[in-house]
């Protein structure tokens, strides 16, 4: 945020050529500030910074980056309980990206953001259609990954797999979700602690929906350990949410052990 304010001051007196580059820097700094507030679960402030990033990228004329910001806003709307807005934002992002020359890897990621929103609405058909479009676009991107923008390079086959599982978990289809998320976790680099924290939460969620209490508690315990390591309010909130969903089984030994560990780690 300090860097964003500094760049904002530079913009006031910058010459035309430099101003264009500084707008791009400011747009990314605003997006990152939005992500920081999103991770802190301060959704209204996050939305303010994402909106600033969108305006800056529009002024700069970077349509693909606009699609990136819109995808962030879509995910935020899904988390903030506005899935209809999330669908609209994801679709708008796709239109913007398509007009910019349709990068298949970008479109694949955007279709999965749309799938998340449809899943939150429990619209099974629309969710599956969005997942199918995401897979099709990913297949088209093979061999052309290096041509995609840097910000979407994280979206590899493993991420496609695990995010598809998360969409199914959100949809309430744990039987499809569990093996996909488990396989994604098996493939992921152990150093990717933040991503693994989210993914183990969703694995626990799917396992709990399936009635696999022991496995769900084990996965939730892993998410808890990772939450302690990365200090993310959003991850901690997920762990507390899975604990609340375990309350009907509060007297079961695995849940008692998880609850004790939760008190030790999160207080």
């Amino acid at each position: 945020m300090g860097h964003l304010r500094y760049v904002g001051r530079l913009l006031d007196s910058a010459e035309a050529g430099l101003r264009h580059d500084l707008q791009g820097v400011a747009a990314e700094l605003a997006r990152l500030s939005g992500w920081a507030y999103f991770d802190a679960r301060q959704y209204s402030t996050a939305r303010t910074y994402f909106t600033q990033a969108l305006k800056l990228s529009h002024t700069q004329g970077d349509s693909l980056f606009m699609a990136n910001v819109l995808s962030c806003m879509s995910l935020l709307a899904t988390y903030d309980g506005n899935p209809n807005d999330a669908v609209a934002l994801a679709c708008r992002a796709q239109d913007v990206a398509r007009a910019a020359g349709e990068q298949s890897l970008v479109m694949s990621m955007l279709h999965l953001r749309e799938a998340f929103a449809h899943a939150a609405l429990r619209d099974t058909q629309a969710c599956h259609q969005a997942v199918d479009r995401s897979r099709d676009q990913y297949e088209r991107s093979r061999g052309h990954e290096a041509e995609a923008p840097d910000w979407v390079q994280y979206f590899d086959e493993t991420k496609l797999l695990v995010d598809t599982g998360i969409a199914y978990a959100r949809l309430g289809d744990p039987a499809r979700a569990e093996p996909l998320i488990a396989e994604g976790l098996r493939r992921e680099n152990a150093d990717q602690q933040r991503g693994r924290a989210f993914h183990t939460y969703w694995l626990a969620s799917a396992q709990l929906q399936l009635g696999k209490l022991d496995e769900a508690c084990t996965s939730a315990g892993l998410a808890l350990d990772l939450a302690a390591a990365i200090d993310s309010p959003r991850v901690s909130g997920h762990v507390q949410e899975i604990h609340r969903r375990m309350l009907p089984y509060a007297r079961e030994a695995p849940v008692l052990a998880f609850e004790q560990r939760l008190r030790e780690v999160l207080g």
Side-chain angles (χ1 to χ4, degrees):
M1 290 172 60
H3 286 122
L4 177 59
R5 288 192 292 270
Y6 176 65
V7 173
R9 289 195 297 270
L10 291 178
L11 276 167
D12 292 336
S13 58
E15 297 178 356
L18 180 59
R19 184 177 180 81
H20 181 272
D21 291 343
L22 285 173
Q23 283 172 338
V25 172
E28 175 62 356
L29 288 169
R31 189 189 71 85
L32 290 172
S33 297
W35 267 114
Y37 277 107
F38 181 22
D39 194 54
R41 305 179 82 187
Q42 297 183 34
Y43 297 150
S44 295
T45 307
R47 190 176 301 109
T48 298
Y49 280 101
F50 285 148
T51 301
Q52 182 181 359
L54 188 64
K55 289 178 180 177
L56 285 162
S57 56
H58 178 73
T59 300
Q60 194 197 26
D62 189 341
S63 296
L64 280 178
F65 190 81
M66 286 176 61
N68 183 22
V69 177
L70 287 164
S71 76
C72 297
M73 296 174 77
S74 174
L75 189 62
L76 171 61
T78 298
Y79 268 83
D80 201 21
N82 298 301
N84 286 306
D85 289 348
V87 171
L89 286 162
C91 291
R92 183 181 168 197
Q94 292 163 26
D95 288 341
V96 169
R98 197 174 291 114
E102 190 167 322
Q103 288 274 355
S104 293
L105 192 61
V106 172
M107 294 299 292
S108 180
M109 181 273 287
L110 295 176
H111 283 303
L112 260 184
R113 291 286 166 89
E114 180 190 351
F116 287 167
H118 287 307
L121 288 166
R122 293 302 176 98
D123 188 334
T124 301
Q125 182 178 5
C127 179
H128 283 291
Q129 288 173 343
V131 167
D132 288 343
R133 288 193 293 270
S134 178
R135 288 174 178 161
D136 289 345
Q137 289 287 352
Y138 187 83
E139 289 303 317
R140 289 179 191 151
S141 76
R142 289 185 184 277
H144 303 282
E145 293 88 349
E147 301 170 13
D150 291 343
W151 51 261
V152 79
Q153 295 289 337
Y154 79 97
F155 194 79
D156 57 10
E157 188 172 22
T158 298
K159 186 60 174 168
L160 172 68
L161 193 70
V162 76
D163 277 4
T164 299
I166 289 171
Y168 290 149
R170 286 184 183 275
L171 187 63
D173 189 352
R176 289 192 181 193
E178 184 193 20
L180 293 171
I181 300 171
E183 176 61 17
L185 281 163
R186 188 188 68 78
R187 295 185 187 187
E188 279 178 340
N189 190 316
D191 293 336
Q192 296 173 327
Q193 290 185 317
R194 182 172 295 269
R196 290 181 66 80
F198 286 113
H199 301 160
T200 51
Y201 157 76
W202 282 108
L203 179 61
S205 178
Q207 291 166 334
L208 189 60
Q209 290 180 66
L210 290 168
K212 298 180 177 181
L213 191 59
D214 287 354
E215 291 94 328
C217 287
T218 298
S219 298
L222 291 172
L224 176 59
D225 291 340
L226 289 164
I230 64 176
D231 189 24
S232 164
R234 191 157 57 109
V235 174
S236 298
H238 276 323
V239 173
Q240 291 165 342
E241 179 187 342
I242 200 74
H243 174 241
R244 288 192 293 271
R245 290 169 55 191
M246 290 177 179
L247 290 179
Y249 314 99
R251 295 186 179 182
E252 299 290 336
V255 177
L256 288 170
F258 172 67
E259 190 173 58
Q260 175 62 33
R261 177 69 178 140
L262 185 67
R263 285 196 295 268
E264 292 171 357
V265 173
L266 298 183

